[in-house]
PDB file of all heavy atoms in Angstrom:
ATOM      1  N   SER A 545     -16.302  -0.058   1.910  1.00  0.00           N
ATOM      2  CA  SER A 545     -15.372   0.979   2.406  1.00  0.00           C
ATOM      3  C   SER A 545     -16.133   2.168   2.983  1.00  0.00           C
ATOM      4  O   SER A 545     -15.725   2.742   3.996  1.00  0.00           O
ATOM      5  CB  SER A 545     -14.466   1.456   1.262  1.00  0.00           C
ATOM      6  OG  SER A 545     -13.737   0.384   0.701  1.00  0.00           O
ATOM      7  N   SER A 546     -17.228   2.521   2.355  1.00  0.00           N
ATOM      8  CA  SER A 546     -18.009   3.674   2.809  1.00  0.00           C
ATOM      9  C   SER A 546     -18.574   3.461   4.204  1.00  0.00           C
ATOM     10  O   SER A 546     -18.805   4.418   4.946  1.00  0.00           O
ATOM     11  CB  SER A 546     -19.164   3.949   1.833  1.00  0.00           C
ATOM     12  OG  SER A 546     -18.665   4.270   0.549  1.00  0.00           O
ATOM     13  N   ASP A 547     -18.785   2.196   4.556  1.00  0.00           N
ATOM     14  CA  ASP A 547     -19.355   1.878   5.872  1.00  0.00           C
ATOM     15  C   ASP A 547     -18.293   1.686   6.950  1.00  0.00           C
ATOM     16  O   ASP A 547     -18.623   1.443   8.112  1.00  0.00           O
ATOM     17  CB  ASP A 547     -20.196   0.600   5.790  1.00  0.00           C
ATOM     18  CG  ASP A 547     -21.472   0.816   4.970  1.00  0.00           C
ATOM     19  OD1 ASP A 547     -21.924   1.971   4.896  1.00  0.00           O
ATOM     20  OD2 ASP A 547     -21.991  -0.159   4.418  1.00  0.00           O
ATOM     21  N   ASN A 548     -17.024   1.791   6.577  1.00  0.00           N
ATOM     22  CA  ASN A 548     -15.930   1.609   7.522  1.00  0.00           C
ATOM     23  C   ASN A 548     -15.493   2.963   8.068  1.00  0.00           C
ATOM     24  O   ASN A 548     -15.035   3.832   7.316  1.00  0.00           O
ATOM     25  CB  ASN A 548     -14.758   0.891   6.852  1.00  0.00           C
ATOM     26  CG  ASN A 548     -13.617   0.588   7.801  1.00  0.00           C
ATOM     27  OD1 ASN A 548     -12.853   1.472   8.180  1.00  0.00           O
ATOM     28  ND2 ASN A 548     -13.488  -0.665   8.203  1.00  0.00           N
ATOM     29  N   ALA A 549     -15.619   3.147   9.370  1.00  0.00           N
ATOM     30  CA  ALA A 549     -15.322   4.452   9.982  1.00  0.00           C
ATOM     31  C   ALA A 549     -13.859   4.857   9.804  1.00  0.00           C
ATOM     32  O   ALA A 549     -13.567   6.042   9.582  1.00  0.00           O
ATOM     33  CB  ALA A 549     -15.683   4.413  11.470  1.00  0.00           C
ATOM     34  N   ASN A 550     -12.959   3.909   9.911  1.00  0.00           N
ATOM     35  CA  ASN A 550     -11.531   4.229   9.756  1.00  0.00           C
ATOM     36  C   ASN A 550     -11.219   4.653   8.332  1.00  0.00           C
ATOM     37  O   ASN A 550     -10.436   5.583   8.098  1.00  0.00           O
ATOM     38  CB  ASN A 550     -10.668   3.025  10.150  1.00  0.00           C
ATOM     39  CG  ASN A 550     -10.671   2.781  11.637  1.00  0.00           C
ATOM     40  OD1 ASN A 550     -10.765   3.708  12.427  1.00  0.00           O
ATOM     41  ND2 ASN A 550     -10.593   1.515  12.035  1.00  0.00           N
ATOM     42  N   PHE A 551     -11.820   3.961   7.366  1.00  0.00           N
ATOM     43  CA  PHE A 551     -11.601   4.337   5.963  1.00  0.00           C
ATOM     44  C   PHE A 551     -12.151   5.748   5.715  1.00  0.00           C
ATOM     45  O   PHE A 551     -11.530   6.540   5.000  1.00  0.00           O
ATOM     46  CB  PHE A 551     -12.271   3.337   5.022  1.00  0.00           C
ATOM     47  CG  PHE A 551     -11.975   3.586   3.572  1.00  0.00           C
ATOM     48  CD1 PHE A 551     -10.842   3.038   2.979  1.00  0.00           C
ATOM     49  CD2 PHE A 551     -12.820   4.358   2.792  1.00  0.00           C
ATOM     50  CE1 PHE A 551     -10.557   3.273   1.629  1.00  0.00           C
ATOM     51  CE2 PHE A 551     -12.550   4.603   1.448  1.00  0.00           C
ATOM     52  CZ  PHE A 551     -11.416   4.049   0.867  1.00  0.00           C
ATOM     53  N   ALA A 552     -13.304   6.041   6.305  1.00  0.00           N
ATOM     54  CA  ALA A 552     -13.924   7.354   6.118  1.00  0.00           C
ATOM     55  C   ALA A 552     -13.005   8.479   6.588  1.00  0.00           C
ATOM     56  O   ALA A 552     -13.023   9.578   6.007  1.00  0.00           O
ATOM     57  CB  ALA A 552     -15.252   7.410   6.857  1.00  0.00           C
ATOM     58  N   GLU A 553     -12.194   8.220   7.599  1.00  0.00           N
ATOM     59  CA  GLU A 553     -11.292   9.247   8.138  1.00  0.00           C
ATOM     60  C   GLU A 553     -10.183   9.646   7.160  1.00  0.00           C
ATOM     61  O   GLU A 553      -9.627  10.739   7.254  1.00  0.00           O
ATOM     62  CB  GLU A 553     -10.668   8.773   9.456  1.00  0.00           C
ATOM     63  CG  GLU A 553     -11.622   8.757  10.630  1.00  0.00           C
ATOM     64  CD  GLU A 553     -10.888   8.561  11.939  1.00  0.00           C
ATOM     65  OE1 GLU A 553      -9.866   9.245  12.175  1.00  0.00           O
ATOM     66  OE2 GLU A 553     -11.316   7.696  12.727  1.00  0.00           O
ATOM     67  N   ILE A 554      -9.861   8.751   6.232  1.00  0.00           N
ATOM     68  CA  ILE A 554      -8.774   9.051   5.290  1.00  0.00           C
ATOM     69  C   ILE A 554      -9.289   9.272   3.866  1.00  0.00           C
ATOM     70  O   ILE A 554      -8.501   9.412   2.931  1.00  0.00           O
ATOM     71  CB  ILE A 554      -7.732   7.905   5.271  1.00  0.00           C
ATOM     72  CG1 ILE A 554      -8.356   6.601   4.809  1.00  0.00           C
ATOM     73  CG2 ILE A 554      -7.089   7.745   6.644  1.00  0.00           C
ATOM     74  CD1 ILE A 554      -7.352   5.483   4.530  1.00  0.00           C
ATOM     75  N   ALA A 555     -10.614   9.307   3.696  1.00  0.00           N
ATOM     76  CA  ALA A 555     -11.202   9.266   2.349  1.00  0.00           C
ATOM     77  C   ALA A 555     -11.506  10.614   1.727  1.00  0.00           C
ATOM     78  O   ALA A 555     -12.182  10.670   0.703  1.00  0.00           O
ATOM     79  CB  ALA A 555     -12.471   8.412   2.387  1.00  0.00           C
ATOM     80  N   SER A 556     -11.018  11.697   2.301  1.00  0.00           N
ATOM     81  CA  SER A 556     -11.366  13.023   1.767  1.00  0.00           C
ATOM     82  C   SER A 556     -10.891  13.195   0.325  1.00  0.00           C
ATOM     83  O   SER A 556     -11.539  13.892  -0.463  1.00  0.00           O
ATOM     84  CB  SER A 556     -10.762  14.111   2.645  1.00  0.00           C
ATOM     85  OG  SER A 556      -9.349  13.996   2.718  1.00  0.00           O
ATOM     86  N   ASP A 557      -9.775  12.581  -0.045  1.00  0.00           N
ATOM     87  CA  ASP A 557      -9.251  12.689  -1.413  1.00  0.00           C
ATOM     88  C   ASP A 557      -9.414  11.391  -2.187  1.00  0.00           C
ATOM     89  O   ASP A 557      -8.771  11.200  -3.231  1.00  0.00           O
ATOM     90  CB  ASP A 557      -7.757  13.071  -1.384  1.00  0.00           C
ATOM     91  CG  ASP A 557      -7.523  14.439  -0.783  1.00  0.00           C
ATOM     92  OD1 ASP A 557      -8.336  15.327  -1.061  1.00  0.00           O
ATOM     93  OD2 ASP A 557      -6.550  14.609  -0.036  1.00  0.00           O
ATOM     94  N   PHE A 558     -10.272  10.513  -1.712  1.00  0.00           N
ATOM     95  CA  PHE A 558     -10.455   9.205  -2.352  1.00  0.00           C
ATOM     96  C   PHE A 558     -11.175   9.329  -3.693  1.00  0.00           C
ATOM     97  O   PHE A 558     -12.137  10.085  -3.838  1.00  0.00           O
ATOM     98  CB  PHE A 558     -11.236   8.272  -1.425  1.00  0.00           C
ATOM     99  CG  PHE A 558     -11.560   6.942  -2.047  1.00  0.00           C
ATOM    100  CD1 PHE A 558     -10.552   6.057  -2.404  1.00  0.00           C
ATOM    101  CD2 PHE A 558     -12.880   6.566  -2.271  1.00  0.00           C
ATOM    102  CE1 PHE A 558     -10.840   4.825  -2.975  1.00  0.00           C
ATOM    103  CE2 PHE A 558     -13.182   5.342  -2.840  1.00  0.00           C
ATOM    104  CZ  PHE A 558     -12.165   4.465  -3.191  1.00  0.00           C
ATOM    105  N   SER A 559     -10.678   8.566  -4.639  1.00  0.00           N
ATOM    106  CA  SER A 559     -11.303   8.491  -5.960  1.00  0.00           C
ATOM    107  C   SER A 559     -11.439   7.017  -6.332  1.00  0.00           C
ATOM    108  O   SER A 559     -10.442   6.285  -6.371  1.00  0.00           O
ATOM    109  CB  SER A 559     -10.431   9.218  -6.997  1.00  0.00           C
ATOM    110  OG  SER A 559     -10.958   9.048  -8.299  1.00  0.00           O
ATOM    111  N   VAL A 560     -12.667   6.566  -6.585  1.00  0.00           N
ATOM    112  CA  VAL A 560     -12.890   5.158  -6.898  1.00  0.00           C
ATOM    113  C   VAL A 560     -12.154   4.803  -8.186  1.00  0.00           C
ATOM    114  O   VAL A 560     -12.349   5.460  -9.223  1.00  0.00           O
ATOM    115  CB  VAL A 560     -14.392   4.854  -7.069  1.00  0.00           C
ATOM    116  CG1 VAL A 560     -14.598   3.375  -7.398  1.00  0.00           C
ATOM    117  CG2 VAL A 560     -15.159   5.226  -5.817  1.00  0.00           C
ATOM    118  N   PRO A 561     -11.273   3.803  -8.154  1.00  0.00           N
ATOM    119  CA  PRO A 561     -10.508   3.455  -9.359  1.00  0.00           C
ATOM    120  C   PRO A 561     -11.403   2.858 -10.439  1.00  0.00           C
ATOM    121  O   PRO A 561     -12.391   2.178 -10.142  1.00  0.00           O
ATOM    122  CB  PRO A 561      -9.483   2.423  -8.852  1.00  0.00           C
ATOM    123  CG  PRO A 561     -10.142   1.825  -7.643  1.00  0.00           C
ATOM    124  CD  PRO A 561     -10.928   2.932  -7.011  1.00  0.00           C
ATOM    125  N   THR A 562     -11.067   3.140 -11.678  1.00  0.00           N
ATOM    126  CA  THR A 562     -11.778   2.525 -12.795  1.00  0.00           C
ATOM    127  C   THR A 562     -11.280   1.097 -12.985  1.00  0.00           C
ATOM    128  O   THR A 562     -10.277   0.681 -12.406  1.00  0.00           O
ATOM    129  CB  THR A 562     -11.540   3.312 -14.090  1.00  0.00           C
ATOM    130  OG1 THR A 562     -10.134   3.211 -14.430  1.00  0.00           O
ATOM    131  CG2 THR A 562     -11.914   4.779 -13.925  1.00  0.00           C
ATOM    132  N   GLU A 563     -11.975   0.357 -13.821  1.00  0.00           N
ATOM    133  CA  GLU A 563     -11.556  -1.011 -14.124  1.00  0.00           C
ATOM    134  C   GLU A 563     -10.179  -1.025 -14.759  1.00  0.00           C
ATOM    135  O   GLU A 563      -9.344  -1.883 -14.451  1.00  0.00           O
ATOM    136  CB  GLU A 563     -12.583  -1.677 -15.039  1.00  0.00           C
ATOM    137  CG  GLU A 563     -12.380  -3.154 -15.238  1.00  0.00           C
ATOM    138  CD  GLU A 563     -13.531  -3.823 -15.970  1.00  0.00           C
ATOM    139  OE1 GLU A 563     -14.638  -3.233 -15.985  1.00  0.00           O
ATOM    140  OE2 GLU A 563     -13.338  -4.925 -16.500  1.00  0.00           O
ATOM    141  N   GLU A 564      -9.923  -0.072 -15.645  1.00  0.00           N
ATOM    142  CA  GLU A 564      -8.620   0.010 -16.307  1.00  0.00           C
ATOM    143  C   GLU A 564      -7.506   0.324 -15.306  1.00  0.00           C
ATOM    144  O   GLU A 564      -6.403  -0.222 -15.408  1.00  0.00           O
ATOM    145  CB  GLU A 564      -8.651   1.070 -17.408  1.00  0.00           C
ATOM    146  CG  GLU A 564      -9.471   0.680 -18.620  1.00  0.00           C
ATOM    147  CD  GLU A 564      -9.010  -0.652 -19.215  1.00  0.00           C
ATOM    148  OE1 GLU A 564      -7.801  -0.802 -19.453  1.00  0.00           O
ATOM    149  OE2 GLU A 564      -9.867  -1.528 -19.436  1.00  0.00           O
ATOM    150  N   GLU A 565      -7.791   1.176 -14.352  1.00  0.00           N
ATOM    151  CA  GLU A 565      -6.784   1.497 -13.332  1.00  0.00           C
ATOM    152  C   GLU A 565      -6.489   0.286 -12.454  1.00  0.00           C
ATOM    153  O   GLU A 565      -5.345   0.040 -12.071  1.00  0.00           O
ATOM    154  CB  GLU A 565      -7.268   2.662 -12.481  1.00  0.00           C
ATOM    155  CG  GLU A 565      -7.248   3.991 -13.219  1.00  0.00           C
ATOM    156  CD  GLU A 565      -7.950   5.114 -12.466  1.00  0.00           C
ATOM    157  OE1 GLU A 565      -8.845   4.821 -11.652  1.00  0.00           O
ATOM    158  OE2 GLU A 565      -7.601   6.300 -12.708  1.00  0.00           O
ATOM    159  N   ALA A 566      -7.516  -0.499 -12.154  1.00  0.00           N
ATOM    160  CA  ALA A 566      -7.319  -1.696 -11.339  1.00  0.00           C
ATOM    161  C   ALA A 566      -6.511  -2.744 -12.086  1.00  0.00           C
ATOM    162  O   ALA A 566      -5.713  -3.482 -11.483  1.00  0.00           O
ATOM    163  CB  ALA A 566      -8.679  -2.264 -10.937  1.00  0.00           C
ATOM    164  N   LYS A 567      -6.665  -2.797 -13.376  1.00  0.00           N
ATOM    165  CA  LYS A 567      -5.939  -3.789 -14.180  1.00  0.00           C
ATOM    166  C   LYS A 567      -4.438  -3.520 -14.196  1.00  0.00           C
ATOM    167  O   LYS A 567      -3.652  -4.406 -14.534  1.00  0.00           O
ATOM    168  CB  LYS A 567      -6.478  -3.821 -15.608  1.00  0.00           C
ATOM    169  CG  LYS A 567      -7.832  -4.523 -15.726  1.00  0.00           C
ATOM    170  CD  LYS A 567      -8.327  -4.549 -17.173  1.00  0.00           C
ATOM    171  CE  LYS A 567      -9.658  -5.282 -17.277  1.00  0.00           C
ATOM    172  NZ  LYS A 567     -10.176  -5.266 -18.661  1.00  0.00           N
ATOM    173  N   LYS A 568      -4.045  -2.306 -13.809  1.00  0.00           N
ATOM    174  CA  LYS A 568      -2.628  -1.995 -13.764  1.00  0.00           C
ATOM    175  C   LYS A 568      -1.903  -2.920 -12.784  1.00  0.00           C
ATOM    176  O   LYS A 568      -0.771  -3.352 -13.056  1.00  0.00           O
ATOM    177  CB  LYS A 568      -2.408  -0.541 -13.343  1.00  0.00           C
ATOM    178  CG  LYS A 568      -2.797   0.465 -14.409  1.00  0.00           C
ATOM    179  CD  LYS A 568      -2.501   1.884 -13.937  1.00  0.00           C
ATOM    180  CE  LYS A 568      -2.840   2.907 -15.003  1.00  0.00           C
ATOM    181  NZ  LYS A 568      -2.522   4.299 -14.551  1.00  0.00           N
ATOM    182  N   PHE A 569      -2.533  -3.213 -11.633  1.00  0.00           N
ATOM    183  CA  PHE A 569      -1.873  -4.086 -10.658  1.00  0.00           C
ATOM    184  C   PHE A 569      -2.419  -5.515 -10.685  1.00  0.00           C
ATOM    185  O   PHE A 569      -1.840  -6.407 -10.099  1.00  0.00           O
ATOM    186  CB  PHE A 569      -1.986  -3.503  -9.243  1.00  0.00           C
ATOM    187  CG  PHE A 569      -3.371  -3.198  -8.765  1.00  0.00           C
ATOM    188  CD1 PHE A 569      -4.148  -4.174  -8.167  1.00  0.00           C
ATOM    189  CD2 PHE A 569      -3.909  -1.915  -8.890  1.00  0.00           C
ATOM    190  CE1 PHE A 569      -5.441  -3.874  -7.712  1.00  0.00           C
ATOM    191  CE2 PHE A 569      -5.180  -1.613  -8.427  1.00  0.00           C
ATOM    192  CZ  PHE A 569      -5.950  -2.600  -7.840  1.00  0.00           C
ATOM    193  N   LEU A 570      -3.526  -5.715 -11.382  1.00  0.00           N
ATOM    194  CA  LEU A 570      -4.092  -7.067 -11.462  1.00  0.00           C
ATOM    195  C   LEU A 570      -3.589  -7.838 -12.692  1.00  0.00           C
ATOM    196  O   LEU A 570      -3.407  -9.056 -12.639  1.00  0.00           O
ATOM    197  CB  LEU A 570      -5.624  -6.999 -11.523  1.00  0.00           C
ATOM    198  CG  LEU A 570      -6.325  -6.453 -10.283  1.00  0.00           C
ATOM    199  CD1 LEU A 570      -7.824  -6.269 -10.562  1.00  0.00           C
ATOM    200  CD2 LEU A 570      -6.123  -7.379  -9.087  1.00  0.00           C
ATOM    201  N   VAL A 571      -3.340  -7.101 -13.773  1.00  0.00           N
ATOM    202  CA  VAL A 571      -2.975  -7.749 -15.050  1.00  0.00           C
ATOM    203  C   VAL A 571      -1.636  -7.265 -15.581  1.00  0.00           C
ATOM    204  O   VAL A 571      -0.749  -8.058 -15.913  1.00  0.00           O
ATOM    205  CB  VAL A 571      -4.063  -7.510 -16.110  1.00  0.00           C
ATOM    206  CG1 VAL A 571      -3.687  -8.196 -17.433  1.00  0.00           C
ATOM    207  CG2 VAL A 571      -5.424  -7.990 -15.616  1.00  0.00           C
ATOM    208  N   ASN A 572      -1.464  -5.954 -15.654  1.00  0.00           N
ATOM    209  CA  ASN A 572      -0.290  -5.371 -16.307  1.00  0.00           C
ATOM    210  C   ASN A 572       0.804  -4.967 -15.326  1.00  0.00           C
ATOM    211  O   ASN A 572       1.552  -4.016 -15.556  1.00  0.00           O
ATOM    212  CB  ASN A 572      -0.723  -4.148 -17.119  1.00  0.00           C
ATOM    213  CG  ASN A 572      -1.814  -4.459 -18.101  1.00  0.00           C
ATOM    214  OD1 ASN A 572      -1.783  -5.489 -18.780  1.00  0.00           O
ATOM    215  ND2 ASN A 572      -2.812  -3.587 -18.212  1.00  0.00           N
TER     216      ASN A 572
END
Side-chain angles (χ1 to χ4, degrees):
S545 302
S546 298
D547 291 335
N548 183 284
N550 288 327
F551 186 87
E553 287 192 48
I554 62 170
S556 59
D557 295 322
F558 175 64
S559 175
V560 180
T562 65
E563 189 170 341
E564 289 305 309
E565 288 170 334
K567 285 181 178 178
K568 289 182 178 181
F569 55 86
L570 295 172
V571 180
N572 304 318

